[in-house]
Amino acid sequence: VSVSAPSPPPAGPTPAAPKPPGGVLPPRPTPGPQPAPSAAPPNASATTPPSGTTPPATDPPPSAPETSADGVAGAPEQAEGGPSLQESGQGAARAAAQRNARHIIDGDLVGRDKFVFHLDGRRRYALRQLSSMLFDRVKQAFVEPESWTQLRQDFNRRRVVVLQGEPGTGRTAAAVRLLHSAGSEAIYDLDPAVDLALLTEQLDEDRAILPEGAGLLLCQPQRDDTLRGRTLRGIEGVLAPRQRLTLIVGPDARLGDDELMQYVVTLPARPDLRRILERHIEWRLGSHAALRRLLDDEDVAELVAEMLQDVGSCEDATLLASVLCEQAVDGVDHERVRRLMSRRGLDAFDQWFDELPGNDVRSFAVALAVLDGLPYEDVARASTRLARRLASPPRPMAASAGTPPASSTETAPSALTTSPTAGQSSAFRFPRRQLLELTRSAVDDGDVRRPYGRVPAQLVAFRDRSYPRAVIDHVWFEHQVQDAVLEWLVEVADDRSDIVRVQVATTVGVLATGSFHHVLTTVIDRWAGSRSTFHREAAAYALQVPGSDPRLEAAVRQLVRVWLGDIEGIRRRATAARALGLLVAADVEPIAEASTWFDMLAADATWTLQQEIGAAFCDLLLADSARFAPAVLERLVRWLDDPRRADTARLVFLLVAHDLVTELTTEGTAPTTWPTLLHLAKDARDQRATLVQLWCRVLGDGPHADIAEAVLSGWADRAERDADLREAFARFLRMVGAANPRAAVILQRCARIWRGDGEALPLPQVAGLIELVLSS
Amino acid sequence: VTTVRSIAVVDLDCPSGTAPPAGADARTVLRELLAAAAADARMRLGDLRMEDRGDGVLLAPEPEVQADLLAEELVIALDARLHAQSSDLRARVALDQGPVACDDDSWVGVPVSTAFRLVNAPVLHDVLDRADRARVVVAVSDSFFRAVVRGRLDPSVFSETTVADDDGLAAMTAWVRVPGYSAPPGVTSPERKPVGTARPDPDPDRAGATINIGYVGGDVVGRDKYVGG
């Protein structure tokens, strides 16, 4: 649906045509010169920040002229001439893409397999689901130590167990296997820094949050001084019957407490390392015959015997198995095996990445880290772009605030190089199968939404959910390619796909947590001042990541305040509005304080600001509708009575009504998609009257009545396809019609149009029902 | 008279490309192996109530015989006996439990049908093909797993799978184990799949683009948010 600029109140309402099923392709912003803002900039008083939140007088953040941000090639630009609506549900779609992107930050999917505990004041302890690679290794190739049955029995006696054992004896694998054996259906890693006393309190408060069969694993607690029998008894008391906590400690752990000793289970000696090696090789190569073929080679057998003499731990044995298996097909290179094993003291992850053969494969790994879970072709295209950039002669990233880049590419060669020859095309060198194997990734069949509908796609992702964040951190901190990576991210961020753009923005946010000033000045600030809605949105998404980091929270909040008060920079204010919503949604910014800022922004707002406020309100409702809906709707009602804010209120309300959808799933039936506000009116009785009032005002007040009717037609289109939705829609419109005679007249006209008089796509069921309820 | 019993069906198998013995030969071999295994497991042969069925043998042990002994001790003993043989003979074992009746000297009931369905499931043949150093593969029904394995045995050596057959019957959940293996090769447990292969759904309309107003907190459908504090 695309509608025209604000118009004066119509003499007689003219309902908009119904939306064709499936919606109209969104009127994407088109490149071109930016029209002048349609409304006058807010006056000085409008930009006065709320009391107590005055922007800082010193050390302002970078604020390059906004025009400087428009040079990003291919950036879609937002037409600012007047309000228009994109495809219905877009707000919800963007927010979903952002949620999906959060696994880049946390190493796992928020909301599905990660828990965040707020302990110790503001500190958050992440509880991540165990690496699937580790779990698979333990599941498929575990070698039971001596007395395993007895060990299992001892372990099963208690729900909280302290496993004590020597390093290198396979303690973690044994703990995982014991938890699995005890029935733990999902195993979570606890942060070693966790304070057990506080954990008890948190588990007690949130006992319903953890899954019933959750197993918690705490490896080498940093604060073993908090290990007390009484504490463990407390934890055992708050765990549900099938929940378990296992702590792994070394032989030197301080276990002086008598009561504590009843929780301690001592691990036996490590299993035979050759057995571990063979089990892992057998599992990796898929058969015992393949294991025998490899080890029956005399040279390999000799090498293995030599390496096993040098191997000191179970983990080393699995590493040796992994190294041998990677070379099993092409023949074992003894020197390479020795070299890799000699580096085993280094971080295994770093070793894996640095041993990837060439920039093409490394670029694929980096692109996958950013776009993990997206279609293979998107990742491949981004990978090619990165490889091309790495092959180009290095050039410093332009810094909008004149800040020199934090690093230079003119350094010693590293695994990721920017040498002109390093990235030479080798399109056919690595078939996909090999590429996936090398990068420890996998492809799954799925589908993806494109502008023309949902289509099958092959989605590629790392097998281990912790890899995206680990790869990003590794590349950023271990290799001198920061500028090339940032330039590449900016290039990929111009992709027209929401999901690609949001994941790139989130990645930029992740980088900002480590190099805030550099990333802010070179990317985020440029985006914030861009004429492109996409760029501003990317800036807001990116800022939310450091904003949620306790170390950077204050800086981000201050930056947003400076942008909010920037009366000359309408685009940065728009970006700030969007960021404000995201920060409130992330519990970084208090809603009360943010509301004052929104009041300020809403006065005499231009369309650019209005749409960002609308998007911010969408973000709030998506984050927690029960919590934020009253505040958001109350704000809109209040603005409607204020001549300087009424226009903003109408447009923001319509954006929210249009952009938010709620998918309802009932077992055994196809999901139905409801307009969120209609669902809210149906289920949240306390908000119903407010929603009726808002609809009466936007339909009856005049300005933007055409947009209101277009949004309503979108609702009608969804209602035509679902009986429950249709009934709720009719009930709601009856209330609107009863509350406002002018709105009733408009609704009756809408219904006539929906009936199909001259329309190509009538909505007869909706039309009949609406006419019936309005006439009764 | 209907009694609740464990039911086991044992069938002989051979590595791919080799035909296992059939008919009376197979039953004789199997009975001898089972008798030896029962002795090794310190179980009385008479308590096992063996019955010839096709090329295999059905066991309907007396109710006093503990199901976990059947699923663990007897299976391990059978595995050991098969390993001790000079031939390449292998065995597929399926277990269920529930009410059964003896009708004309033949055991009938749902557990009997389930056990036969499991022992003939293609997934068992496939697992045995992949587990090339194994001699036995075991499948137990979901109810047997929950009632017997979980709590009394080590469930971590089992992997969940789905058994479908050619008769148009609804797919059923089964748990597979290969003695001597940490996990049955080639079986990816559905319950672990979300961990290893979970993908952020790239379809915003479906994956979370939506909020569930009906849920307190307005969380995402299908992706409840767990935030403490």
Side-chain angles (χ1 to χ4, degrees), chain B residues 1 51 53 100-109:
Chain B
V1 178
E51 177 189 323
R53 288 288 185 101
V100 290
C102 195
D103 184 10
D104 290 337
D105 291 332
S106 183
W107 290 100
V108 292

Side-chain angles (χ1 to χ4, degrees), chain B residues 65-153:
Chain B
V65 176
Q66 290 179 16
D68 52 331
L69 287 182
L70 196 67
E72 180 68 23
E73 307 297 335
L74 185 67
V75 164
I76 296 301
L78 178 63
D79 183 59
R81 283 283 167 181
L82 282 164
H83 271 290
Q85 288 236 325
S86 55
S87 68
D88 288 338
L89 280 181
R90 308 166 92 187
R92 287 174 283 114
V93 180
L95 291 147
D96 191 18
Q97 67 174 10
V100 290
C102 195
D103 184 10
D104 290 337
D105 291 332
S106 183
W107 290 100
V108 292
V110 172
V112 175
S113 310
T114 301
F116 273 103
R117 199 175 156 196
L118 291 177
V119 87
N120 291 315
V123 66
L124 244 62
H125 290 280
D126 184 46
V127 169
L128 209 44
D129 278 348
R130 288 170 184 264
D132 55 354
R133 66 178 162 85
R135 291 304 175 99
V136 173
V137 60
V138 185
V140 303
S141 67
D142 195 40
S143 59
F144 190 95
F145 180 82
R146 291 174 191 283
V148 179
V149 175
R150 188 180 282 170
R152 285 195 259 170
L153 300 174

Side-chain angles (χ1 to χ4, degrees), chain A residues 92-93 99-100 111 115-116 118 129 135 139 142 152 177 181 202 279 282 288-289 454 461 622-624 662-663, chain B residues 132-133 153-156 158 182-183 192 195 199 201 203 206 208-211 217 221 223-226 228-229:
Chain A
R99 264 193 301 274
N100 286 337
F115 303 85
V116 179
H118 301 254
Q129 190 150 6
F135 182 85
K139 172 75 184 176
F142 182 69
R152 277 189 55 239
R177 187 74 181 196
S181 166
Q202 193 66 52
R279 282 290 171 83
E282 181 185 69
H288 188 69
R454 191 175 292 166
L622 282 160
D624 192 337
T662 295
E663 187 170 86
Chain B
D132 55 354
R133 66 178 162 85
L153 300 174
D154 182 356
S156 65
F158 285 81
S182 179
R192 288 298 306 176
V195 180
R199 303 283 182 268
D201 192 325
D203 179 351
R206 192 178 56 178
T210 55
I211 56 176
V221 171
R223 294 192 181 190
D224 292 342
K225 184 171 56 184
Y226 304 96

